[in-house]
Amino acid sequence: MKRVLVTGSSRGIGKAIADLLKEQGYRVVTHSLRSPGTDLQFDIADRAAAKAALERDIAENGPYYAVVLNAGVNRDNPFPALEDEDWDRVIDTDLTGFYNVLKPCLMPMIQARIRGRIVALSSVSGVAGNRGQVNYSAAKAGLIGAVKALAVEMAKRGITVNAIAPGVIETGMIASMAEFQDEVKKAIPMRRFGKPEEVASLVGYLLSEGAAYITRQVISVNGGLC
């Protein structure tokens, strides 16, 4: 059974991805910062902790067929009001976390000659930028650059590397914008928010054999927002 790591899989989009992949027959390795019941618990911004946990899991159970990099945080504020910690935490988690998680996973995949899959969750903010999210937009745009470069490096090994850029998705993260939801929906051509399952279904496809020739792409799931 192919093993798939899904970071940030205790809730929201990550949980929807983990649930779908389990239904599709993958052995899903779940991850969270500290939620009970997940297979691995560590802060993806902590390089040493990520390396130790992932190397131990791979040594005991074998390399991953796919890594889905979903975990992330946001600390929104207009740029002049951003605190240093707001910038550092978002960059360290959402961008540097890509390196911290993927670095221990990739060589075992290569050495086992697995024609694997890497999927990173970016955001519409990383594609188009978003007011009040200079830190988040920078991190998510950086992910896109990392994905495109890594895809070129991994192509000859048959490992695909892609990014998904969700728009506004119905998760706990949008609860803070309750008073603006009607206004936001008006900016979306489909006039609704997306569902976590609609992002998960794209991940499921990108992990399939049918997607073996799709790499270096940024695929938006945003109802036509941009």
Side-chain angles (χ1 to χ4, degrees):
M1 184 181 291
K2 293 177 177 177
R3 294 196 335 124
V4 178
L5 171 66
V6 182
T7 65
S9 50
S10 63
R11 57 195 174 94
I13 292 173
K15 185 176 186 304
I17 292 169
D19 289 346
L20 177 68
L21 296 181
K22 288 175 184 176
E23 291 175 7
Q24 293 181 339
Y26 296 100
R27 165 64 179 98
V28 178
V29 179
T30 56
H31 158 270
S32 69
L33 179 59
R34 61 176 67 90
S35 298
T38 49
D39 298 310
L40 302 177
Q41 295 179 30
F42 59 84
D43 183 351
I44 66 170
D46 184 332
R47 184 168 301 157
K51 183 174 187 288
L54 293 166
E55 286 184 346
R56 182 170 57 250
D57 182 58
I58 291 169
E60 292 174 357
N61 302 293
Y64 305 120
Y65 161 72
V67 179
V68 181
L69 298 140
N70 167 76
V73 298
N74 66 307
R75 298 285 188 276
D76 297 350
N77 237 333
F79 188 77
L82 278 179
E83 299 290 342
D84 291 350
E85 195 277 333
D86 295 331
W87 178 271
D88 292 341
R89 182 59 182 168
V90 171
I91 298 297
D92 291 349
T93 302
D94 295 9
L95 181 55
T96 306
F98 172 93
Y99 176 88
N100 295 347
V101 170
L102 200 51
K103 188 65 162 36
C105 300
L106 196 53
M107 275 309 298
M109 185 187 293
I110 292 170
Q111 290 167 345
R113 299 185 183 277
I114 295 171
R115 299 176 74 80
R117 306 283 190 267
I118 296 164
V119 179
L121 273 291
S122 181
S123 167
V124 64
S125 296
V127 175
N130 193 32
R131 171 194 234 162
Q133 290 190 319
V134 173
N135 51 354
Y136 188 72
S137 297
K140 293 299 188 178
L143 268 182
I144 290 172
V147 160
K148 286 182 172 289
L150 185 60
V152 176
E153 293 185 13
M154 292 297 108
K156 66 182 180 182
R157 301 182 185 277
I159 297 172
T160 68
V161 189
N162 292 289
I164 295 175
V168 186
I169 307 298
E170 291 177 349
T171 67
M173 290 182 73
I174 67 168
S176 61
M177 53 183 279
E179 59 187 299
F180 306 111
Q181 287 190 14
D182 288 343
E183 181 180 345
V184 173
K185 285 179 182 177
K186 289 177 183 177
I188 302 170
M190 293 192 76
R191 296 295 191 269
R192 69 173 178 86
F193 297 152
K195 299 175 183 177
E197 295 76 15
E198 291 172 321
V199 179
S201 65
L202 178 55
V203 176
Y205 174 65
L206 289 174
L207 265 57
S208 72
E209 289 300 321
Y213 201 55
I214 299 173
T215 196
R216 207 184 182 192
Q217 301 305 304
V218 181
I219 306 173
S220 295
V221 183
N222 63 26
L225 185 58
C226 72

